[in-house]
Amino acid sequence: LGRGLLPPISGCFENYFVDEMGAPIRSEIWACLAPGDPQLAAAMAWKDAVLDHAGGEGMYGEMFWAAVESAAFLITDPKTLIRIGLAMIPISSHISRVIREAVWCSENGHRWGEARERIARIFGHHQPCNAVPNHGFTILGWLYGKDYGDRLCRAVNCGYDTDCTGATLGS
């Protein structure tokens, strides 16, 4: 923006961070501004994310979580909420792929540790703040945990960007 570039160019021009967690960790505000309206929350998240994560996986992560958190004002079932969030992002995005992989692991009897290793092996990244594996870890914590505290611990114990996975799951 300081160079005169407007969104979405401002969010992707010479920007190494488009695939990182900076945008997804801002999702909560859009859910609170659009409680029970996941489409509006995702649209506002997109407008926010294109400022600094345009075209990257971080943008899709913010849209996904804004929709999930908005719908959570009315719905409590995690799998229904995940489906709502996935409906707001491209099926071909890596965020969509890792989330679907984490759900698949849960539905097919993989133990938490096995699921974590699978996510790390398929979607791992040298940058611990990369949004893709961190979204998989957040979903694993959510689906494998027995209660609120256990869910947070499982997500954080996956490693990588633990403050983001814990905070996002906590919201």
Side-chain angles (χ1 to χ4, degrees), residues 69-166:
E69 294 154 355
S70 171
F73 279 92
L74 304 174
I75 298 166
T76 59
D77 177 61
K79 290 191 180 172
T80 300
L81 291 168
I82 291 168
R83 283 193 295 275
I84 290 168
L86 287 173
M88 303 299 156
I89 63 174
I91 194 170
S92 61
S93 70
H94 292 286
I95 293 291
S96 177
R97 291 179 54 226
V98 74
I99 290 167
R100 288 182 281 121
E101 187 71 27
V103 171
W104 182 88
C105 287
S106 172
E107 291 176 344
N108 286 280
H110 289 272
R111 292 188 324 245
W112 171 80
E114 294 170 343
R116 188 260 177 225
E117 290 307 310
R118 184 178 176 97
I119 296 297
R121 182 173 35 82
I122 298 171
F123 299 99
H125 197 275
H126 68 276
Q127 172 51 268
C129 295
N130 185 274
V132 179
N134 284 294
H135 278 67
F137 297 156
T138 305
I139 297 296
L140 290 180
W142 196 10
L143 296 178
Y144 281 86
K146 296 173 184 64
D147 56 37
Y148 183 76
D150 189 44
R151 289 177 182 131
L152 289 176
C153 286
R154 287 179 186 263
V156 169
N157 284 338
C158 286
Y160 282 54
D161 198 353
T162 59
D163 60 323
C164 289
T165 57

Side-chain angles (χ1 to χ4, degrees), residues 32-43:
C32 290
L33 291 173
D37 190 344
Q39 287 181 314
L40 178 58

